[in-house]
Amino acid sequence: MAENKALPRNVGIIMDGNGRWAKRRLLPRSAGHDAGMKRIIKLVKHVRQTGIKYLTLYALSTENLARPKEELEGLYSLFRMYFEKYAPQLTAENSAVSVIGDLSALPQDVAEKMRTACARSPQNPDFTLVFAVNYGSRAEIVRAANFAAELGGNMTEQSFAKLLYTADIPDPDLIIRTGGELRLSNFLLWQSAYAELYFTDVLFPDFTAQRFDKAIEEFSRRSRRFGKV
Ligand code: FPP
């Protein structure tokens, strides 16, 4: 990747297209999610080397919880494997792992594995991987509004942001969506107020490090004015 260009601090990825990737190969949807997890492992390795400090992956939306039980069970098995095997490798190498979303609706052992892996995160990490799991932005904002009502008094944008799941995570500078759809699907709506958006038709299992770098190159060419002239 080209050096000395403005790097995003936090990149969010809406990992769409696993199901279609599998369908094109006449495989079950679960094979698409397996390929998606393999892609995550490769991408994380790559992103850590770029100097980007945060990667936020939309792993399961609140709406995804309505998918057939069989598909969800497959995803939960992948979460188990990732948080048991791969997350500890990251935390051992001074990266942090974090989860945003409502873990209470997940199988207890999955939620527990996630909490355990996150608790092992170092204090001053070089890199932070954030998974959005059973995450929905509107629910997150309503939850924060309820906290705010309990606290009473006037909120500022800064104090309200501290009530979101992402209190300790910088806003995304760039959001990438794979799989060809042109929408945010309830992902980081508050946080992405000034994010650059990048859409690609490439299905997530095919979203290689080179394709990621292409998105970063395009980001570095965008003119970010934050509403100013
Ligand atoms: C959307 O594609 C993707 C998901 C709902 C799940 C994303 C999960 C992974 C990439 C692997 C999970 C593993 C870990 C460790 C987080 P889709 O199935 O909706 O694709 P489609 O639009 O082609 O049907």
Side-chain angles (χ1 to χ4, degrees):
M1 196 192 304
E3 297 291 335
N4 300 326
K5 289 196 176 164
L7 271 184
R9 201 142 74 107
N10 183 5
V11 177
I13 307 185
I14 301 173
M15 307 182 288
D16 198 11
N18 294 349
R20 279 163 286 162
W21 184 93
K23 197 172 172 199
R24 284 180 194 175
R25 287 163 179 75
L26 306 177
L27 294 170
R29 290 180 62 80
S30 61
H33 295 316
D34 291 352
M37 184 168 111
K38 290 189 181 120
R39 179 54 62 200
I40 290 175
I41 292 163
K42 288 186 181 150
L43 270 182
V44 167
K45 197 170 167 199
H46 174 68
V47 176
R48 285 171 76 204
Q49 291 165 354
T50 62
I52 293 168
K53 295 292 177 199
Y54 292 82
L55 180 68
T56 305
L57 301 177
Y58 204 4
L60 195 70
S61 71
T62 308
E63 292 72 27
N64 290 155
L65 245 67
R67 290 198 176 188
K69 194 167 172 282
E70 195 188 317
E71 182 171 348
L72 287 177
E73 280 306 329
L75 283 169
Y76 295 149
S77 295
L78 293 179
F79 294 164
R80 284 187 187 96
M81 196 195 301
Y82 191 90
F83 282 87
E84 220 164 60
K85 183 168 172 198
Y86 296 99
Q89 293 175 8
L90 287 177
T91 51
E93 291 177 14
N94 209 37
S95 288
V97 179
S98 174
V99 177
I100 57 173
D102 177 11
L103 298 191
S104 69
L106 301 184
Q108 261 190 19
D109 73 303
V110 174
E112 209 39 54
K113 281 184 181 28
M114 289 178 170
R115 286 194 197 96
T116 306
C118 295
R120 288 206 192 104
S121 292
Q123 284 295 321
N124 293 302
D126 300 324
F127 170 79
T128 300
L129 176 62
V130 184
F131 284 101
V133 181
N134 188 22
Y135 173 86
S137 241
R138 286 185 173 184
E140 176 188 37
I141 292 167
V142 169
R143 176 178 174 270
N146 284 327
F147 289 145
E150 277 170 33
L151 289 170
N154 285 329
M155 283 280 138
T156 62
E157 288 186 17
Q158 285 74 19
S159 62
F160 189 78
K162 287 282 166 209
L163 303 176
L164 298 170
Y165 287 124
T166 50
D168 301 322
I169 300 167
D171 286 346
D173 303 295
L174 171 66
I175 293 191
I176 297 171
R177 182 176 186 138
T178 62
E181 310 288 356
L182 306 179
R183 54 177 172 262
L184 288 176
S185 298
N186 210 8
F187 183 53
L188 301 180
L189 299 183
W190 169 283
Q191 298 85 343
S192 65
Y194 284 100
E196 296 295 323
L197 306 180
Y198 181 91
F199 298 99
T200 169
D201 288 339
V202 172
L203 305 177
F204 183 69
D206 294 327
F207 192 62
T208 56
Q210 290 71 24
R211 285 170 163 154
F212 177 87
D213 286 352
K214 207 173 139 213
I216 302 301
E217 287 278 343
E218 177 164 332
F219 170 85
S220 70
R221 286 194 298 271
R222 302 252 182 112
S223 161
R224 303 185 79 202
R225 290 187 295 278
F226 299 97
K228 303 184 178 97
V229 286

